[in-house]
Amino acid sequence: MADEAPEYEYDLWLYIAGQTPKSLLAIANLRRICDQYLQSRYRVHVIDLHHEPERAISDNILAIPTLVRKLPPPIRKIVGDLSNTERVLVGLDLTPRQHTGS
Amino acid sequence: MELPAAITNLPKAPTGIRGLDDITGGGLPRGRPTLICGGPGCGKTLLAFETLARGAALYGEPGIFVSFEESPADLRINVANLAIDVADLEQRGLLLIEQISLDQGEVAEVGEYDLEGLFIRLGLLIDRIGAQRIVLDTIETLFSAFGNQNILRGELQRLFRWLRQRGLTAIITAERSGQGLSRFGIEEFVADCVILLDYRITEHVLTRYARIVKYRGSSHGVNEYPFTIGPRGITMLPITSFGLRYPVSAERISSGFPDLDQLLDGGGYYRGSTILVSGPTGSGKTSLGALFVAAACARGEPAIFFAFEESADQIARNLRSIGIDLQPWRDRGLLQIISSRPSLAGLETHLITLLEVVEQSGARAVVIDPITGFHTISRPVDITTMLFRLFDGLKSLGVTTLATSLTNAGADPAQSEVNISSLVDTWIVLRNHEANGERNRSLLVLKSRGMRHSNQVRELVMDANGLRLVDIYAAGETVLVGAARIAEQERLRHEYELRERETIQRQRRYALQQRLLSLQIEALQAELAALTDEMNADAALSEARAQAQIQSRLATSRYRDSTQEGSDGR
């Protein structure tokens, strides 16, 4: 995994619970935003809590969907179906112009 | 409180908290959510935790405590002195304490979401120990963690529905603010049972109150019920909770004062009864109390002497002066003398502390000296209510209670305590009599339910040898006590001796006369015998003479016949 670290600058975890419309919408929105703003510098894990319920406790998840940015630090959380791209970018502390330098 | 059970057959989950189950008619609605609201420091968390822990410990119902604020470590410290072994319950899988920490204000919200994650977590915890009870403390904090109130309200509503479907007896705590019951109006969703906690400070004394605002489908006490948070958790004492249901004992126990036992139909007090000893200062109230606890200790029964006017050592010393030594019983741990100032705590706290101490110690005899001490801290009506509950509480524990009451000199004791006289089973009135330059005491059993007690006033004599009751001498209209009684006793003794002497003399005279008469009878008897002898001898003589006469007459006639035959033949 050590050599993968630089490859995936953004480590994103999306928690859903079943194939609900909200979840599907969140997945779609996330993929769109990532493709658009992060190109290949990201990796997305989708966790379905219906399959891995213990992760709700270990990862302290209450709201569904929840997007967690584990990398780069600090950890950031966004809840909701991610339907507002602008606010997702703000929430991830990710604005396209500023980003490249940091 | 007597709750008409017929009104509801709603299943209840007992809280195990004393008093609360009385006013709720058996506990919280089983399988439904209950809301407990109140301001900070009202005891919400404790009430919720206690219900959970006692449910697990007493009724074997596994429970989960979900804390949204306090860490489990803090919570364990806060409930450490509940007399519940929390660690043991956790080990046995009957109790689960889980913190759900909220990321305050760090979460961005973009679009629609729900709290399915919370449901999944609760579901996991519930399944882990097969929970039947759950506490959510304080779920409102979700409102500060998430921004969308509409979503939250909808989700909470769904949560309560879900808890209900899973059949969980749930307690949700909520912070009270302003006019409403809870800050975010959660009471709208949790409609089954709402309990409001509050406290007020009057005269620098804090009193906590609980009130059932709503209990759907069940009758419940509607008053504000005071409660305390004591060393063993929450105790509520509903004013009417006892409802005159206690076992009645026919067993008699000594008052510790044989002379008094004699007045009480020869047997003493009834076990489990309430005895009031009223009288003015220095009339011997405390001494009667001390004799009573000493007698209990002598039977091997633990006893408590609550002293509200004197320190324990002061009492022990004073009683030694009249020959009552309580020290051995104190040394053996049978007797506790608990001394405190009435003004140290509120009436409610006194009441509950008292009952708790009695229950924990397992005391069988209790003295409260005096109950009138509370007049300094409260209104008479409150005291009457408190005494009502106190005596009821002690009675339901089967404890025999002797309370002393200070009456003002001159006041008629039968009048001044009329408001509590109905509470007591045996009422002993002590009086002081001042006459001829001295003061003496008298004792009267004014009433004693269920026994034929003496109606006579006795003089109570107290000296280094102890206490004695002596008959009172009435001279005309006045009762003679003390020196006057002794003088009267002397006079009567003289009279008696005189009469005694006269009788003996009379008896002696009679005996003498008797002996004289019997001697005379003896002499006459002898005379009679002599006379009889003489009479018999005389009769024999006469007979002999008559025989001789007949014989001579026969001889004469025989002679005459023979001569007459010879002359005729020539």
Side-chain angles (χ1 to χ4, degrees):
Chain A
M1 289 295 277
D3 55 336
E4 284 184 34
E7 257 184 272
Y8 303 104
E9 195 182 336
Y10 284 86
D11 193 10
L12 304 175
W13 296 62
L14 182 66
Y15 296 85
I16 57 166
Q19 305 286 311
T20 63
K22 271 197 286 270
S23 297
L24 296 175
L25 187 59
I27 293 170
N29 282 332
L30 182 61
R31 294 229 181 267
R32 184 174 45 74
I33 292 165
C34 286
D35 284 343
Q36 200 169 339
Y37 297 95
L38 298 174
Q39 288 91 35
S40 55
R41 292 177 291 129
Y42 74 95
R43 184 169 72 172
V44 169
H45 300 257
V46 175
I47 309 288
D48 188 339
L49 294 179
H50 281 175
H51 296 138
E52 297 175 78
E54 292 289 344
R55 297 205 73 141
I57 294 173
S58 57
D59 298 356
N60 193 23
I61 302 301
L62 294 176
I64 293 296
T66 293
L67 175 64
V68 179
R69 184 189 81 174
K70 293 201 174 174
L71 283 175
I75 288 178
R76 288 192 172 269
K77 274 188 182 178
I78 300 173
V79 300
D81 58 21
L82 311 176
S83 50
N84 184 321
T85 308
E86 197 82 348
R87 292 178 59 193
V88 172
L89 294 178
V90 171
L92 287 177
D93 197 12
L94 186 135
T95 33
R97 308 278 179 271
Q98 286 175 332
H99 164 68
T100 27
S102 66
Chain B
M1 163 175 296
E2 225 30 280
L3 284 161
I7 289 183
T8 169
N9 37 25
L10 190 79
K12 306 252 168 118
T15 62
I17 295 171
R18 188 196 317 193
L20 184 58
D21 289 338
D22 289 318
I23 59 174
T24 52
L28 305 178
R30 179 173 290 282
R32 292 155 188 257
T34 292
L35 181 71
I36 297 176
C37 39
C42 269
K44 301 185 294 290
T45 301
L46 189 68
L47 179 68
F49 187 85
E50 225 187 302
T51 304
L52 202 68
R54 296 210 186 282
L58 300 175
Y59 309 106
E61 295 186 19
I64 302 171
F65 192 97
V66 180
S67 173
F68 290 94
E69 284 167 313
E70 263 180 304
S71 74
D74 284 346
L75 189 75
R76 283 191 191 97
I77 292 168
N78 294 347
V79 300
N81 47 10
L82 275 186
I84 298 172
D85 193 344
V86 171
D88 174 61
L89 289 175
E90 287 182 290
Q91 248 168 23
R92 285 161 56 202
L94 283 167
L95 185 66
L96 190 62
I97 302 174
E98 180 81 12
Q99 184 182 18
I100 293 186
S101 54
L102 302 164
D103 326 88
Q104 301 286 345
E106 290 167 20
V107 181
E109 292 176 24
V110 182
E112 292 286 307
Y113 59 93
D114 57 43
L115 294 181
E116 188 60 28
L118 175 66
F119 284 73
I120 289 170
R121 287 169 75 164
L122 294 179
L124 274 177
L125 297 173
I126 291 162
D127 293 341
R128 199 181 291 169
I129 63 164
Q132 289 174 262
R133 299 185 182 199
I134 189 167
V135 170
L136 303 172
D137 180 61
T138 316
I139 203 162
E140 283 174 310
T141 43
L142 285 175
F143 281 94
S144 58
F146 294 98
N148 192 326
Q149 284 215 15
N150 288 336
I151 288 179
L152 269 176
R153 295 175 85 83
E155 283 299 283
L156 285 185
Q157 214 156 347
R158 184 162 76 95
L159 176 66
F160 296 136
R161 217 167 33 234
W162 178 78
L163 289 171
R164 210 191 265 254
Q165 271 163 11
R166 300 208 51 159
L168 281 150
T169 306
I171 298 177
I172 295 97
T173 64
E175 201 77 30
R176 195 190 185 191
S177 73
Q179 301 293 325
L181 285 173
S182 66
R183 220 181 324 162
F184 296 97
I186 295 178
E187 65 270 16
E188 289 169 29
F189 322 138
V190 194
D192 287 283
C193 179
V194 179
I195 298 173
L196 183 64
L197 304 183
D198 192 11
Y199 64 80
R200 289 194 287 280
I201 297 171
T202 41
E203 304 273 326
H204 315 291
V205 171
L206 181 143
T207 308
R208 300 175 183 280
Y209 295 95
R211 182 162 67 92
I212 300 171
V213 180
K214 173 179 188 177
Y215 200 144
R216 185 186 282 170
S218 168
S219 57
H220 60 83
V222 292
N223 302 325
E224 245 183 352
Y225 298 98
F227 70 94
T228 57
I229 297 178
R232 298 203 310 158
I234 291 175
T235 310
M236 240 173 249
L237 278 177
I239 293 163
T240 50
S241 115
F242 299 103
L244 300 176
R245 287 169 299 171
Y246 17 70
V248 173
S249 172
E251 188 192 342
R252 302 283 286 273
I253 52 173
S254 171
S255 65
F257 187 8
D259 292 358
L260 178 58
D261 288 348
Q262 277 306 309
L263 295 190
L264 297 165
D265 207 8
Y269 309 129
Y270 277 116
R271 186 180 289 287
S273 66
T274 307
I275 300 114
L276 180 70
V277 178
S278 66
T281 324
S283 57
K285 300 184 296 296
T286 304
S287 310
L288 284 190
L291 284 173
F292 174 58
V293 287
C297 292
R299 287 191 300 270
E301 297 170 7
I304 305 181
F305 193 111
F306 289 99
F308 289 110
E309 276 180 354
E310 294 168 289
S311 75
D313 292 334
Q314 220 174 338
I315 284 179
R317 184 202 62 199
N318 296 351
L319 291 167
R320 261 196 300 279
S321 73
I322 51 163
I324 305 170
D325 194 1
L326 296 177
Q327 199 55 44
W329 306 123
R330 292 177 76 190
D331 293 342
R332 281 177 54 189
L334 271 173
L335 176 66
Q336 287 185 69
I337 302 182
I338 299 173
S339 180
S340 74
R341 285 266 167 221
S343 52
L344 273 183
L347 212 51
E348 196 62 31
T349 313
H350 272 301
L351 172 66
I352 289 168
T353 314
L354 224 139
L355 282 173
E356 252 177 16
V357 168
V358 171
E359 193 177 14
Q360 272 174 57
S361 67
R364 309 287 290 127
V366 167
V367 168
I368 301 162
D369 182 45
I371 48 167
T372 29
F374 297 108
H375 286 299
T376 52
I377 54 162
S378 211
R379 293 175 302 146
V381 60
D382 292 338
I383 296 164
T384 309
T385 314
M386 175 225 176
L387 292 177
F388 231 110
R389 296 160 62 199
L390 176 64
F391 291 160
D392 263 359
L394 289 169
K395 233 174 219 199
S396 67
L397 292 175
V399 173
T400 318
T401 310
L402 186 148
T404 71
S405 162
L406 180 69
T407 47
N408 294 326
D412 181 4
Q415 281 299 311
S416 54
E417 277 131 326
V418 75
N419 47 354
I420 57 162
S421 76
S422 66
L423 301 179
V424 303
D425 302 295
T426 299
W427 187 355
I428 295 165
V429 175
L430 302 175
R431 284 194 183 89
N432 286 331
H433 298 267
E434 223 167 302
N436 305 331
E438 57 175 37
R439 205 188 64 166
N440 298 288
R441 308 174 177 89
S442 74
L443 179 150
L444 167 70
V445 179
L446 192 69
K447 79 162 185 186
S448 195
R449 287 174 179 156
M451 65 175 87
R452 278 182 306 158
H453 61 89
S454 164
N455 63 351
Q456 283 172 15
V457 179
R458 297 290 157 98
E459 184 177 349
L460 176 62
V461 181
M462 292 162 67
D463 54 31
N465 297 323
L467 277 73
R468 272 176 298 126
L469 286 178
V470 291
D471 286 346
I472 262 182
Y473 288 82
E477 294 292 295
T478 44
V479 165
L480 301 175
V481 288
R485 169 181 50 83
I486 290 165
E488 176 72 6
Q489 268 175 321
E490 275 302 291
R491 195 182 62 75
L492 288 173
R493 199 166 57 78
H494 274 295
E495 252 175 41
Y496 178 74
E497 275 176 16
L498 216 63
R499 272 202 302 274
E500 196 83 331
R501 227 174 293 152
E502 280 171 3
T503 313
I504 291 166
Q505 271 176 351
R506 253 198 325 275
Q507 288 293 329
R508 223 176 270 158
R509 213 166 49 233
Y510 293 145
L512 220 59
Q513 244 170 345
Q514 250 177 346
R515 245 168 59 212
L516 211 64
L517 280 171
S518 37
L519 281 172
Q520 281 177 340
I521 290 165
E522 218 175 303
L524 287 170
Q525 294 277 357
E527 213 174 322
L528 181 68
L531 190 68
T532 313
D533 279 354
E534 206 175 327
M535 209 170 74
N536 291 344
D538 193 53
L541 202 59
S542 314
E543 177 75 7
R545 266 193 210 124
Q547 284 295 326
Q549 234 166 5
I550 293 165
Q551 288 298 323
S552 78
R553 209 178 291 140
L554 277 174
T556 309
S557 62
R558 237 180 346 248
Y559 172 71
R560 279 177 192 160
D561 287 347
S562 60
T563 46
Q564 210 163 341
E565 275 168 26
S567 57
D568 288 340
R570 228 174 338 182

